[in-house]
Amino acid sequence: MNRSLLMAIALLAGSPLVVEAAAPVTPDSLVAAAKRAAGRDYAGTFLRICVAPDNLNAVPRPANAPRVVPDRATWYAKPYKVFDNLYFVGTLIHSAWALTTADGIIVIDTLFDYAVEPEIVAGMKALGLDPRNIKYVLITHAHGDHDQGAALLQSRYGAKVVMGSVDWDATLQRPETAPGGVPKRDIAVGPEGLKIKLGGTTVEAVSTPGHSPGTLSYLFPVKDGNRTLTVAYSGGTAFNFPRRKESFAIYRDSAAKMHAAVGAAGATILMTNHTEFDGAYDKARIAQLPRSAGEKHPYETDVATVQRYFEMTQDCAEAQRLSME
Ligand SMILES: [Zn+2]
């Protein structure tokens, strides 16, 4: 109950009421709240954005720095079937997923260009999925670790690429020689979001600017035996955007928006596009183990646990914004 309502009730009742002054909200109080929200579930993410945010003392990468493709042994991961309709085809570091439907496959995120063939194309084939059936490629945001594989999936298989409008604008400014090439503009999602429907499956794209100006997060169903669960897939996490108060406010508001969307959709699974934030690689492997009766899928939590992720990211963003006042 809010304070003015309490006062009104007290006045009506004719009784004196002592309303305790709320403790002031400070960067420290927000970091403490974020730490509580993170709990044991999101401790690593809390460290990354609340304790040592990337953009606090970032040294910009020189524009002409040579590109180094890392040793395959540092990133290659085997593919795994994780839910009855969802397959992990990411690396040790970055996630990519194949969501199967009755009428084709939706790929979510596409990794760096050097990983798209061995992980997404070969990974899908190894799992019995035909990449020619990819109908949509959903990009969370236009950073190379998630979108460099998009042009290949679009040109080779005719998949439609979905991205936030503002991130399309940035993507289309890349030179043709950019790693992975440049996809052609297909489906641009604005602030109002979009529902993507394929073969009886609906993926809801939620516009969540912050990490990039056009970041999209997604809500979609996964099947675990005879149960259908809802995934909230967070589209951008780290604070590696330019350090401006308005940017943190935009990020904060997107976290609040996802918090509400998770509640409305009843999402009980939190996924992100970096394995460090959701333990994707470990959970994908744990999901291969037999489960005892009643044992939950390793990815399944509850709505409150998923919402705590967005409480934490919201508080961390607001702590940074307030610290700049
Ligand atoms: Zn990014």
Side-chain angles (χ1 to χ4, degrees), residues 263-278:
T268 57
I269 293 169
L270 184 276
M271 288 186 174
T272 75
N273 47 13
H274 284 250
T275 62
E276 73 173 282
F277 301 131
D278 68 348

Side-chain angles (χ1 to χ4, degrees), residues 175-200:
E176 280 300 325
T177 53
V182 184
K184 292 191 295 293
R185 190 182 183 108
D186 279 328
I187 300 168
V189 181
E192 66 288 348
L194 182 72
K195 286 198 166 82
I196 300 127
K197 298 184 182 185
L198 182 69

Side-chain angles (χ1 to χ4, degrees), residues 85 100-104 106 196-203 221 223 228:
N85 61 335
T100 57
T101 79
D103 198 24
I106 298 170
I196 300 127
K197 298 184 182 185
L198 182 69
T201 298
T202 300
V203 179
K223 297 203 169 61
T228 299

Side-chain angles (χ1 to χ4, degrees), residues 124-184:
M124 285 178 65
K125 287 178 182 168
L127 294 166
L129 304 175
D130 188 343
R132 288 175 298 184
N133 293 333
I134 303 173
K135 299 288 167 58
Y136 290 104
V137 170
L138 312 184
I139 300 295
T140 48
H141 65 266
H143 289 167
D145 46 351
H146 311 293
D147 75 352
Q148 285 181 1
L152 180 142
L153 299 178
Q154 182 187 54
S155 63
R156 189 184 295 172
Y157 305 119
K160 292 260 181 294
V161 178
V162 177
M163 216 189 293
S165 297
V166 200
D167 278 18
W168 266 121
D169 297 341
T171 299
L172 296 174
Q173 283 172 20
R174 292 180 188 166
E176 280 300 325
T177 53
V182 184
K184 292 191 295 293

